[in-house]
């Protein structure tokens, strides 16, 4: 004979609740056709668990229900490895009747009349158990099996609510397990904090972010400022994966203050994030609600590399905020003297080109001024020197890498400026360095008016020659 009774479960699940006595029930079925069976229930930890009905009698081919009590309330589930178990011992009872004292004596004497019919593991389940496992995952043996058992006692909404503490734990396995158990990744924390993906980005765990994206988690631009959050943390890896994963994500999206991710990165000096956002269409010229551009923020905080990066692609050095201050003024106000040269050198270079100050021009270039830097109208120093006919300055600029066919905001090249101002020798010099008479710009082709050069045959010939080549 294999056994006298059979339990209806492979393990008993106890839904744990902090500070409360909890209980669960299970059934035992008598497999004997003609004889009653006496039953004794014990556990490996009798100080923790108890049975209101420790001894009982089950009639032939009948079943009985039993309650298991957690008799000592606790603030945390008493998880151990291996788990506590229930021992089910049985004995045939030919008379079918016996008092509790008789049953106690029956099972107190070991012998062949007593069978150990079943050993049933005790599992703690429910959201509070999962929370405990999440917060103590490094200390809990056999986390995988314990977690799966604990989740079995949770509803879908409870499993979904557990995603946030799992994200805070930084354990990607926990997230995957919860999602496999039915957690809804499309749910939202609340109207202010946005999607579960926002929580993952704020936690900074790229593996969890990847899992959520792969599970179909979506974002809402009106609430989820994930690029702003990743930019604030200098996580260019997160910015990149978010940008590549969502086709409609916008690197120029503004938050409630009118700031883009570029503003956020500039204010913190996060150059890697700046360069990535700018490389995928980010606009460094946007002003926030207070009129601050990214350059204002970088200059105010003294971030040299960020100022250099923005100066290369932004034309906002002369923009004033609502307080009437430029980036230079903010840097000066905050004592960032190391930025003053960078923020003013280009101005000095433009001034030297205008005044034909060759020495000053060379000095600015030697100090790091940008030869192809632009003013508020898009003019480079070469535009200004050509327009003023400063041939020596033009030579210096060309020898130091000035772009000969660069166009200003109106689509004009330095050659056009020289010709319009009637500076023949400057125009010839520019042509000798490859300047073309018809340069295409965003405004189309801006042709040079040849009629004004009737008195300058030395200029008309090379211009016509260049025109034919063009």
């Amino acid at each position: 004979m294999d056994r006298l009774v059979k339990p209806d479960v492979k393990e008993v699940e106890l839904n744990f609740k902090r500070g409360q006595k909890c209980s669960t029930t299970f059934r035992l079925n008598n497999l004997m056709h003609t004889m009653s069976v006496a039953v004794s229930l014990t556990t490996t930890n009798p100080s923790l668990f108890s049975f209101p009905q420790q001894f009982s009698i089950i009639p032939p081919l009948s079943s009985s229900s039993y309650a298991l009590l957690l008799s000592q309330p606790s603030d945390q589930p008493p998880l151990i490895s291996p788990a506590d178990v229930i021992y089910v011992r049985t004995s045939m009872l030919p008379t079918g009747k016996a008092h509790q004292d008789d049953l106690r004596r029956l099972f107190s004497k070991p012998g062949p009349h007593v069978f150990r019919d079943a050993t049933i593991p005790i599992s703690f389940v429910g959201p509070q158990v999962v929370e405990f496992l999440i917060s103590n995952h490094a200390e809990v043996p056999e986390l995988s099996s314990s977690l799966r058992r604990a989740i079995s006692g949770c509803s879908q909404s409870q499993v979904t609510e557990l995603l946030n503490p799992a994200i805070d734990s930084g354990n990607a396995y926990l997230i995957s397990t919860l999602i496999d158990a039915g957690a809804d990744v499309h749910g939202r924390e609340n109207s202010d904090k946005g999607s579960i993906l926002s929580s993952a980005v704020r936690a900074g765990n790229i593996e969890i972010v990847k899992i959520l994206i792969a599970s179909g988690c979506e974002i809402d631009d009106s609430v989820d400022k994930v690029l702003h959050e990743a930019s604030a943390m200098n996580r260019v890896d997160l910015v990149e994966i978010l940008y590549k994963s969502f086709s409609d994500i916008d690197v120029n999206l503004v938050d409630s203050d009118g700031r883009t991710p570029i503003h956020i990165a500039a204010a913190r000096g996060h150059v890697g994030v700046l360069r990535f956002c700018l490389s995928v269409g980010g606009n460094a010229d946007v002003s926030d609600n207070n009129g601050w551009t990214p350059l204002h923020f970088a200059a105010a905080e003294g971030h040299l590399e960020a100022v250099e990066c923005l100066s290369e692609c932004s034309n906002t050095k002369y923009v004033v905020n609502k307080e009437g201050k430029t980036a230079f003024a903010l840097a000066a106000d905050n004592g960032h003297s190391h930025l003053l040269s960078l923020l003013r050198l280009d101005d000095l270079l433009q001034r030297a080109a205008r005044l034909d100050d060759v020495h000053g021009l060379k000095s600015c270039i030697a100090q790091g001024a940008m030869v192809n830097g632009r003013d508020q109208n898009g003019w480079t120093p070469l535009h200004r020197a050509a327009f003023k006919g400063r041939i020596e300055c033009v030579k210096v600029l060309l020898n130091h890498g000035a772009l000969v066919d660069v166009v200003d905001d109106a689509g004009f090249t330095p050659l056009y400026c020289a010709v319009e101002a009637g500076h023949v020798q400057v125009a010839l010099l520019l042509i000798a360095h490859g300047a073309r008479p018809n340069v295409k710009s965003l405004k189309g082709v801006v042709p040079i008016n040849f009629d004004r050069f009737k008195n300058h045959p030395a200029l008309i010939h090379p211009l016509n020659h260049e025109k034919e080549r063009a």
Side-chain angles (χ1 to χ4, degrees), residues 40-364:
S40 168
L41 300 175
T42 57
T43 69
T44 49
N45 194 345
S47 63
L48 186 62
F49 302 101
S50 62
F51 295 97
Q53 189 180 5
Q54 182 180 359
F55 301 104
S56 63
I57 299 172
I58 308 177
L61 293 179
S62 298
S63 62
S64 291
S65 180
Y66 299 89
L68 172 69
L69 306 178
L70 179 64
S71 53
Q72 293 184 1
S74 173
D75 289 335
Q76 62 184 42
L79 301 176
I80 62 170
S81 182
D84 285 315
V85 298
I86 299 170
Y87 294 124
V88 180
R89 294 187 299 159
T90 59
S91 181
M92 288 184 287
L93 195 64
T95 62
K97 296 181 180 179
H99 295 291
Q100 288 291 308
D101 290 341
D102 297 329
L103 295 176
R104 185 175 289 106
R105 284 191 294 270
L106 175 66
F107 288 105
S108 66
K109 298 177 180 179
H113 64 288
V114 176
F115 298 84
R116 179 173 288 185
D117 263 12
T119 301
I120 311 172
I122 302 172
S123 298
F124 290 97
V125 301
Q128 294 184 2
V129 180
V130 180
E131 286 180 11
F132 174 81
L133 291 170
I134 289 172
S135 59
N136 297 274
H137 61 85
E139 304 171 10
V140 177
E142 300 179 358
L143 172 64
S144 175
S145 57
S146 299
L147 184 64
R148 285 195 298 271
R149 287 196 297 268
I151 290 175
S152 68
C154 301
S155 65
Q156 183 186 23
S157 62
Q158 289 173 329
V159 174
T160 300
E161 289 174 1
L162 291 165
L163 281 173
N164 278 304
I167 287 172
D168 293 338
S169 77
N171 190 318
Y173 167 77
L174 296 175
I175 298 295
S176 295
T177 303
L178 291 171
I179 292 174
D180 291 342
D184 181 12
V185 297
H186 303 293
R188 295 194 162 267
E189 262 188 283
N190 55 55
S191 58
D192 296 326
K193 293 186 178 180
S195 70
I196 196 70
L197 187 61
S198 288
S199 298
V201 171
R202 286 192 293 270
N205 191 310
I206 193 167
E207 292 304 318
I208 291 178
V209 169
K210 288 179 179 178
I211 290 171
L212 291 173
I213 291 174
S215 300
C217 190
E218 299 175 350
I219 56 175
D220 178 355
D221 281 348
S222 65
V223 179
D224 299 308
K225 301 298 185 289
V226 288
L227 290 183
H228 291 74
E229 290 161 346
S231 298
M233 298 185 293
N234 199 22
R235 292 296 300 274
V236 66
D237 55 339
L238 286 175
V239 173
E240 185 171 357
I241 192 172
L242 289 166
Y243 179 79
K244 292 180 178 179
S245 298
F246 297 98
S247 59
D248 57 346
I249 202 165
D250 184 3
V251 293
N252 294 311
L253 178 72
V254 297
D255 60 15
S256 58
D257 296 314
R259 296 168 189 167
T260 68
I262 294 177
H263 282 92
I264 304 302
R268 291 164 173 78
H270 298 160
V271 180
V273 174
L274 275 179
R275 294 197 185 282
F276 178 82
C277 289
L278 292 169
S279 72
V280 295
N283 186 357
D285 295 341
V286 175
S287 297
D288 72 1
N289 296 345
N290 294 316
W292 284 51
T293 66
L295 186 61
H296 280 101
F297 280 101
E301 296 299 327
H303 299 307
L304 175 60
E305 287 188 69
V307 169
E308 291 175 334
C309 174
L310 291 167
S311 296
E312 293 171 1
C313 62
S314 171
N315 194 28
T316 60
K317 190 164 57 174
Y318 308 97
V319 173
V320 294
N321 60 19
K322 287 188 176 180
E323 297 174 345
K325 294 191 175 183
T326 63
F328 175 87
L330 291 171
D333 289 349
N334 295 333
H336 302 310
S337 58
H338 62 293
L339 296 181
L340 301 185
S341 177
L342 175 63
L343 291 170
R344 285 290 295 273
L345 267 179
D346 292 351
D347 297 340
L348 297 176
L349 188 65
Q350 294 272 5
R351 182 175 182 274
R354 177 171 57 85
L355 298 178
D356 202 22
D357 181 3
V358 175
H359 176 75
L361 195 74
K362 291 180 177 179
S363 176
C364 288

Side-chain angles (χ1 to χ4, degrees), residues 318 344-362 364-365 371 373 375-377 379-397 417 421 423 426:
Y318 308 97
R344 285 290 295 273
L345 267 179
D346 292 351
D347 297 340
L348 297 176
L349 188 65
Q350 294 272 5
R351 182 175 182 274
R354 177 171 57 85
L355 298 178
D356 202 22
D357 181 3
V358 175
H359 176 75
L361 195 74
K362 291 180 177 179
C364 288
I365 294 173
V371 173
D375 67 5
Q376 63 269 33
N377 299 311
W379 270 30
T380 67
L382 188 59
H383 280 93
R384 196 166 298 281
F387 182 74
K388 288 291 184 178
R390 312 305 192 188
I391 192 165
E392 294 302 321
C393 286
V394 170
K395 290 177 182 179
V396 172
L397 291 167
C417 294
H423 300 303
V426 171

Side-chain angles (χ1 to χ4, degrees), residues 13-27:
E13 296 182 345
L14 196 61
N15 199 317
F16 175 82
K17 295 180 180 178
R18 295 186 189 94
Q20 298 183 27
K21 291 183 178 181
C22 19
S23 64
T24 188
T25 61
F26 61 98
R27 298 185 68 81

